[in-house]
Amino acid sequence: MSFLRDTWIVYLRQLRPTLHAPVFGLGFSMLQPVLYLVLFAPLLSGMPGAMGDNSLQWFVPGVLAMLGLFGTAFAGFGLLPEIRSGAHERMLATPASRVALLLGRVLRDVSVLLVQSVVILLAVLPFGLEVSLPGAAAGLVLLMVLGTGLGTLSYLLAMTLREESMFAAALQTMIMPLILLSGVMLPMDLAPAWLYALSRANPVSHVVDAERALFAGDFADVSVLAGTGVAVAIAAVALAAGTRMMRRLAV
């Protein structure tokens, strides 16, 4: 029970600044996906194929995956000032569970991601977006699983590099290829064979495909199983690595 209590305390501690400044805490990381929705999605409406029939049906699930990637992958930036000031080391010296110190942060990031995703969905619905309610719920759960893994990896990277400049450079190097090869912007089926093969090696692309199938209510689509497996695997590996690192820091 102490682990759950410690996780809850850390979660509330991390959530408090967001509640005090919700516009900055919730809106800042939403800016880029919203801009893509406003400025890029209309360009797809005249294109042939599934994305041209209703570009929002095709584009919104991908944008939510992009939001999950950006929102949680950059979470480690919030830890770096605490590392630099020594606050993180002081927290490690408390009786609180070391794993709870990590998990509470990750749960806060996933909570913010959920709220942001719901806000975007509600904002887009009046413009013609049609979703399966059970599928949308399943898609949001899948997004939170992915966010849990990416957020944990972000904190691990921050604790390893410990410098904002190095952390930003590493993220930019990794995030941009993941986005470009995920099929968020354009379907990778239109790409040359070598580029399509690279996209299949990108784990995020499978989650994007699963999100699109789920939001359409197509639970039987093979991409749902593949995307779910990828998201669960990322979360499991990240949490295992995070647990190991936090326990090692406690020694």
Side-chain angles (χ1 to χ4, degrees):
M1 293 299 294
S2 61
F3 169 74
L4 296 178
R5 183 196 61 203
D6 292 345
T7 302
W8 178 248
I9 291 173
V10 175
Y11 170 77
L12 292 179
R13 177 178 179 269
Q14 296 301 316
L15 188 62
R16 192 172 295 116
T18 303
L19 297 178
H20 287 167
V23 174
F24 180 82
L26 294 174
F28 184 74
S29 57
M30 291 174 60
L31 181 60
Q32 187 166 6
V34 168
L35 286 176
Y36 278 120
L37 273 173
V38 174
L39 302 178
F40 192 84
L43 299 177
L44 301 177
S45 59
M47 298 185 67
M51 57 184 172
D53 296 337
N54 187 338
S55 59
L56 290 179
Q57 302 293 131
W58 187 88
F59 198 61
V60 170
V63 166
L64 293 181
M66 180 193 298
L67 176 65
L69 186 59
F70 276 110
T72 54
F74 285 84
F77 272 113
L79 180 60
L80 290 172
E82 296 187 22
I83 293 176
R84 187 172 58 252
S85 67
H88 181 60
E89 283 72 14
R90 289 193 292 272
M91 289 293 294
L92 291 174
T94 67
S97 165
R98 275 44 177 182
V99 178
L101 294 178
L102 174 63
L103 189 58
R105 288 179 175 273
V106 173
L107 290 178
R108 176 266 176 193
D109 299 326
V110 172
S111 298
V112 170
L113 173 60
L114 176 61
V115 172
Q116 291 174 327
S117 300
V118 172
V119 168
I120 288 178
L121 283 176
L122 293 177
V124 178
L125 282 175
F127 295 94
L129 177 68
E130 297 178 1
V131 297
S132 160
L133 188 58
L140 291 177
V141 171
L142 177 61
L143 193 62
M144 287 189 290
V145 173
L146 177 66
T148 298
L150 295 178
T152 303
L153 292 175
S154 180
Y155 288 120
L156 295 182
L157 185 63
M159 286 185 284
T160 301
L161 299 180
R162 307 176 73 89
E163 292 286 343
E164 281 87 348
S165 59
M166 295 176 62
F167 183 74
L171 278 184
Q172 289 295 335
T173 302
M174 293 183 289
I175 294 299
M176 289 310 298
L178 290 177
I179 289 294
L180 295 175
L181 291 173
S182 66
V184 167
M185 309 297 294
L186 292 169
M188 297 308 295
D189 294 339
L190 303 178
W194 65 270
L195 193 57
Y196 178 80
L198 284 178
S199 74
R200 293 297 87 190
N202 176 12
V204 179
S205 67
H206 298 285
V207 178
V208 172
D209 292 343
E211 291 286 347
R212 288 181 176 135
L214 287 172
F215 273 80
D218 191 359
F219 286 88
D221 194 295
V222 66
S223 64
V224 173
L225 180 60
T228 301
V230 167
V232 170
I234 292 174
V237 170
L239 289 173
T243 299
R244 180 178 180 182
M245 173 175 276
M246 295 303 291
R247 287 175 175 168
R248 181 168 56 84
L249 289 174
V251 177

